[in-house]
Amino acid sequence: NAGVTQTPKFRILKIGQSMTLQCAQDMNHNYMYWYRQDPGMGLKLIYYSVGAGITDKGEVPNGYNVSRSTTEDFPLRLELAAPSQTSVYFCASSFGGQGYEQYFGPGTRLTVT
Amino acid sequence: QQQVKQSPQSLIVQKGGIPIINCAYENTAFDYFPWYQQFPGKGPALLIAIRPDVSEKKEGRFTISFNKSAKQFSLHIMDSQPGDSATYFCAAKFGAGSYQLTFGKGTKLSVIP
């Protein structure tokens, strides 16, 4: 199993550009999550999904959108990138939502200039 | 409040020492407390977790101590090794029906030979 995979690993965007961060998992997990990690700030939940077709906002959803058309994929869309979105983005998945281990991908380092 | 306060920010110990990382929370509705370990350039990985009805949990050299009345929990690493050098995050899940983890800001541990 590849686990949770994310692409790209690194990306530089100009202010106002858009992009999609890709996330896929091959563990047949129903729950998937997007976090952002800023230095010294821990991880903050952006969006999560409890199954295909179902998504909900986390703590910091502004400026992002998600979709979940399949169990395996959970892309994160950035519209009109801003410098405040410079961060490391992690996708995670879990079998269940109530206390089940979350498996994280390797991350995407995004810089907006 | 859904905040988890973690200390210290950084910690340096000698090989064989017992680093202790502390976390405190306010909201008694939290019902699951995991610790994640993150190596540079990697995603976090679950290390050990505890529920509030248990005062201590050990897995190998890692121990969580949980003080429900004080609303504090801590991670102890016995016989620490240079390979334990990483950033450690405590987290908490907010009650039944919630899928969201609230993370502490992280502790960067360095174990020197």
Side-chain angles (χ1 to χ4, degrees):
Chain A
N1 284 354
V4 179
T5 57
Q6 292 182 240
T7 55
K9 290 190 187 305
F10 304 95
R11 182 72 186 268
I12 298 174
L13 276 183
K14 293 190 185 303
I15 294 171
Q17 287 184 323
S18 300
M19 76 164 294
T20 299
L21 281 64
Q22 301 292 344
C23 174
Q25 53 91 10
D26 63 359
M27 297 176 282
N28 203 30
H29 286 170
N30 283 324
Y31 295 76
M32 296 188 75
Y33 315 82
W34 273 105
Y35 292 91
R36 60 177 288 171
Q37 183 177 37
D38 300 304
M41 295 301 294
L43 293 99
K44 295 200 181 290
L45 183 65
I46 305 171
Y47 270 95
Y48 66 97
S49 169
V50 302
I54 306 169
T55 63
D56 207 347
K57 296 176 181 178
E59 185 180 355
V60 290
N62 291 345
Y64 307 95
N65 274 302
V66 293
S67 59
R68 184 97 180 270
S69 57
T70 67
T71 299
E72 294 79 18
D73 300 297
F74 190 40
L76 177 72
R77 178 84 178 159
L78 278 72
E79 305 281 1
L80 299 174
S84 60
Q85 294 178 304
T86 294
S87 188
V88 181
Y89 291 85
F90 289 100
C91 179
S93 72
S94 64
F95 177 73
Q98 302 293 322
Y100 285 84
E101 176 176 357
Q102 291 188 17
Y103 294 81
F104 283 78
T108 294
R109 183 174 293 275
L110 176 67
T111 302
V112 182
T113 62
Chain B
Q1 302 91 317
Q2 296 196 32
Q3 201 174 11
V4 177
K5 294 183 179 178
Q6 183 171 349
S7 62
Q9 264 190 304
S10 63
L11 189 53
I12 301 174
V13 298
Q14 292 221 305
K15 177 183 173 183
I18 306 175
I20 300 172
I21 304 170
N22 300 298
C23 285
Y25 63 97
E26 288 296 321
N27 198 321
T28 55
F30 285 137
D31 67 354
Y32 171 70
F33 300 88
W35 284 88
Y36 280 79
Q37 179 188 54
Q38 184 180 29
F39 294 105
K42 305 290 186 185
L46 180 66
L47 189 62
I48 186 172
I50 197 167
R51 296 195 184 273
D53 53 350
V54 176
S55 61
E56 186 177 274
K57 184 173 181 181
K58 290 184 182 179
E59 286 188 5
R61 295 184 294 106
F62 300 91
T63 299
I64 300 179
S65 297
F66 193 89
N67 186 330
K68 190 173 181 178
S69 60
K71 292 185 280 188
Q72 295 175 347
F73 58 110
S74 58
L75 177 70
H76 302 234
I77 306 176
M78 309 301 289
D79 187 28
S80 58
Q81 301 296 313
D84 296 329
S85 297
T87 299
Y88 293 82
F89 294 95
C90 62
K93 187 184 74 66
F94 182 64
S98 170
Y99 312 111
Q100 300 190 32
L101 286 177
T102 298
F103 283 84
K105 293 185 177 183
T107 296
K108 185 174 182 180
L109 172 67
S110 299
V111 181
I112 55 178

